[in-house]
Amino acid sequence: MDVLKSLGHPEEIYNLFKFKMGGCHTVMPKLDYESMSESLRTCYAFLNQTSRSFAAVIQALDGELRHAVCIFYLVLRALDTVEDDMTIPLVKKVPLLHEFHTFLYQPDWCFTESKEKDRQVLEDFPTISVEFRNLGQEYRDVISDICHRMGVGMAEFLEKKVGSMQEWDKYCHYVAGLVGMGLSRLFSASQLEDPEVGRDTELANSMGLFLQKTNIIRDYLEDQQDGRAFWPEEAWSQFASHLEDFSQPQHLSSALACLNLLVTDALRHVPDVITYLSRLRNQSVFSFCAIPQVMAIATLSACYNNPQVFEGVVKIRKGQAVTLMMEATNMQAVQGIIIQYSQEIRQKVSPSDPSRDKTLHILGLIQEKALSKVVLTTRAHHLSPIYLSAAVLLAALSWQYLNATQPAGSVLLHSAV
């Protein structure tokens, strides 16, 4: 079926075949579990249980950054498990979210009342928190700060719908922008990236917002079926009386107008994405960040003006995803991918679309930014066959992540940067 979907794209068939033949099973870096403490081994076990694709991707990060991002992920996964658990009454949940960052320094704190599937990260939180305290101070400060700010933001939106476009940005900041900012600070703290990467919070926030908005746009129907609403009222109320109206065929033209408005809003973050990625020097960090971004713009291109968004979840082809990830190994290639999909979107813009002028304007800005010359002097542009094979595996794993049916509000690191 995957090969059939890629007919007309021979390069996708080749790359998908290459992946399915197992050409990259032995090249991913392997962790030295024997040298780890028992609690750290358990943390990696939790990582595999809660996000197998992310567990594989994290192994490609260099040095001590690997452990820091692992613990960062688990802390936010535990926080997110509290937020997602609808069986916890608000009178208890709100204080938990506000105070969660303090539990990192309480060796015995755990929570045994959750009914969520990932409740083990709460029940055995002492194992995670002890490894948090084993991290360097520079990493602990980042993780604790982001955990605190995210918990406060989650509490704010527990009973609050996303109304204005400004609130949409704010919600996406809490659940994804903060993750991008935290990761960026971890990259700089590891000294694998310049301090500027961690300091520029606006660019890091845009990385997260672009991914989160893409997920929210794509997941319209699934969220509606689950009783969730993340499309901002300021946008959809211009075209319908109720958000659920868009799933009805007679409202298709209005639904597409709102969809295109939101895609246009998401696209305004792409110039920041280009600037952010151009600053990265370390190859493992670059791949970690670039993979979900190129997947996102490909997904937005697939969603733009597409009625299928209101009939199911729009997914890019597996072969397309594998090809994208194999190619997104340097800045020049990423710029080319962004140009390709921005041009695809441009070709779909209807003369009668209400957002037409804004869409064409932001696409013009993206094209101009993507065509600008970026000088990278510290990161190799040509990868060895071994690293390229690893990129194939990262491609497939990232495809599994991006196409998983996850709540748009879930805190997933790969959903952020």
Side-chain angles (χ1 to χ4, degrees), residues 139-160:
Y139 298 124
R140 296 199 304 272
D141 289 346
V142 173
I143 295 171
S144 177
D145 177 53
I146 297 298
C147 181
H148 183 199
R149 294 161 67 182
M150 187 175 290
V152 171
M154 285 178 167
E156 178 181 336
F157 278 90
L158 280 177
E159 290 188 299
K160 176 181 175 182

Side-chain angles (χ1 to χ4, degrees), residues 9-19 323 326:
H9 304 273
E11 76 287 353
E12 292 182 16
I13 297 176
Y14 170 76
N15 290 329
L16 189 59
F17 177 76
K18 183 177 180 181
F19 167 73
T323 299
M326 289 180 66

